[in-house]
Amino acid sequence: MNEKNSVEAIIEKHEASGKYFDINGIKCFALDQGSGEAVLCLHGVPTSSFLYRKIVPALAEKGYRGVAIDFPGLGFSDRPENFDYSFSSFAKFGAEAAKNLGLDKYHLLIHDVGGPVGFALAAENLDKVLSITILNTWIDGVNFIKPWPMRPFENSVLGEIELATLIHTTWQIMFNKMGVNDSSGIPKNEINAHLDILKRDDGGDAFLKLMRNFDDSKEFRSLCYKAVQEVPYPVQAVWGADDPFLTLDHHGQEIKKAAGLSKIHELSSRHFLQEEKPLEIVEKLEEIIELSKQMMPR
């Protein structure tokens, strides 16, 4: 195997392309490239800013500032044992990260767990948000039922066992079944890097804490709705139409109804559409940025 294409080399390259910063004593990591209007990218699980490694530079090339942060407990950010691994806590962290990185206003690109986190962040910082682009996620936490691959992680023993069985071989199978329609253009070691980044330092312990801390309260759902209803900025949904778990027919339509959208932009991909359709996502971001400029003159 070519050493520069090994999993370790891929991870090192990703780390070298980003930067570290500090929030309340927590060492945090972000990809931060380009200049111009900022797009703040929020990842879900079991991923990190690595999922946006194609989108951030593409945004920079288009004349924007692409920023993808790693939440505490994931990616290259610290994994403190006593951190509050809840959606509300992550939302506050995201707002602090944006402030620390000098993002006075920003467009949001949210996905998976980064969806409810991003909705809460936006609802609590309406004056900072210029637009929201929603990738495969959910907004109604009260009625959200975790897809079956996520359920074992809820249990204190079964979750640890499930995480231990996730190795490169099994992760490749999962990635191909739920992540993308066609992985032939994605090097296997880039796929494997997602798993190695997840398990670095703590073996995934912080990830398990997050998986056992989903907010299903009516209060949090109302907060999420506040981010997409009667807001001054434009909102759009871009969906990996073949996602077998966060489906277009259920979760996509849920988002469409809650946000009052006229349509959902469908892409031929599954859950990790950032891997398979990064340029198409950037194209939709360009469109909503222009719409935002019309709705909210700078």
Side-chain angles (χ1 to χ4, degrees):
M1 180 187 300
N2 191 326
E3 189 65 29
K4 70 177 181 180
N5 295 323
S6 68
V7 178
E8 294 79 8
I10 289 167
I11 292 175
E12 288 174 4
K13 179 182 177 182
H14 174 62
E15 184 176 19
S17 66
K19 66 182 183 183
Y20 286 95
F21 59 104
D22 183 274
I23 296 181
N24 300 323
I26 298 176
K27 184 180 180 184
C28 311
F29 180 82
L31 294 182
D32 186 352
Q33 299 175 18
S35 58
E37 295 207 354
V39 179
L40 179 60
C41 309
L42 303 183
H43 67 82
V45 292
T47 57
S48 65
S49 61
F50 187 70
L51 187 60
Y52 290 107
R53 69 193 182 283
K54 302 172 185 177
I55 288 179
V56 166
L59 285 168
E61 289 179 5
K62 296 286 187 178
Y64 306 107
R65 183 180 175 187
V67 180
I69 61 173
D70 282 345
F71 288 120
L74 298 163
F76 290 117
S77 290
D78 280 348
R79 306 180 178 205
E81 291 188 10
N82 59 349
F83 187 79
D84 175 11
Y85 292 100
S86 67
F87 292 168
S88 295
S89 176
F90 274 22
K92 289 179 173 59
F93 171 87
E96 282 295 317
K99 181 179 179 180
N100 185 288
L101 294 169
L103 308 185
D104 182 50
K105 294 182 181 293
Y106 40 84
H107 304 269
L108 280 173
L109 177 62
I110 60 179
H111 176 246
D112 192 82
V113 164
V117 170
F119 293 135
L121 187 160
E124 294 171 337
N125 299 274
L126 292 173
D127 60 327
K128 302 291 185 183
V129 179
L130 296 171
S131 74
I132 301 180
T133 296
I134 305 164
L135 308 180
N136 300 42
T137 186
W138 69 93
I139 194 168
D140 181 0
V142 174
N143 294 302
F144 178 67
I145 300 174
K146 289 181 181 177
W148 67 260
M150 300 172 71
R151 292 175 200 164
F153 299 117
E154 292 179 326
N155 302 306
S156 60
V157 176
L158 192 58
E160 277 75 4
I161 295 173
E162 179 78 4
L163 189 57
T165 63
L166 266 185
I167 58 175
H168 287 171
T169 304
T170 52
W171 170 245
Q172 288 278 342
I173 294 171
M174 288 185 64
F175 188 92
N176 281 285
K177 285 189 173 182
M178 67 175 245
V180 297
N181 281 334
D182 180 9
S183 65
S184 62
I186 309 169
K188 284 189 175 181
N189 280 338
E190 288 193 17
I191 298 173
N192 289 336
H194 283 290
L195 182 61
D196 287 11
I197 291 172
L198 173 69
K199 292 191 175 187
R200 70 189 303 271
D201 294 340
D202 70 345
D205 285 349
F207 160 73
L208 292 175
K209 291 176 183 176
L210 169 60
M211 295 300 290
R212 295 162 184 167
N213 209 8
F214 280 31
D215 195 327
D216 59 0
S217 69
K218 291 182 179 179
E219 291 77 13
F220 187 77
R221 179 177 64 181
S222 296
L223 185 66
C224 289
Y225 284 174
K226 183 182 175 183
V228 297
Q229 296 177 348
E230 299 180 4
V231 290
Y233 49 76
V235 177
Q236 67 175 349
V238 181
W239 218 266
D242 303 311
D243 190 332
F245 301 123
L246 295 184
T247 66
L248 175 64
D249 288 345
H250 179 77
H251 301 91
Q253 292 302 317
E254 173 186 283
I255 294 283
K256 181 181 178 183
K257 181 179 179 180
L261 303 178
S262 60
K263 65 176 294 185
I264 298 174
H265 306 287
E266 300 179 27
L267 297 180
S268 178
S269 188
R270 297 184 186 179
H271 189 62
F272 297 134
L273 60 166
Q274 300 96 317
E275 289 282 1
E276 203 168 17
K277 301 292 181 180
L279 297 184
E280 290 85 345
I281 294 170
V282 170
E283 181 180 340
K284 300 311 297 183
L285 282 167
E286 285 193 281
E287 291 178 8
I288 202 169
I289 288 171
E290 290 306 311
L291 179 58
S292 172
K293 290 178 180 178
Q294 297 173 23
M295 293 176 62
M296 308 168 67
R298 311 294 191 257

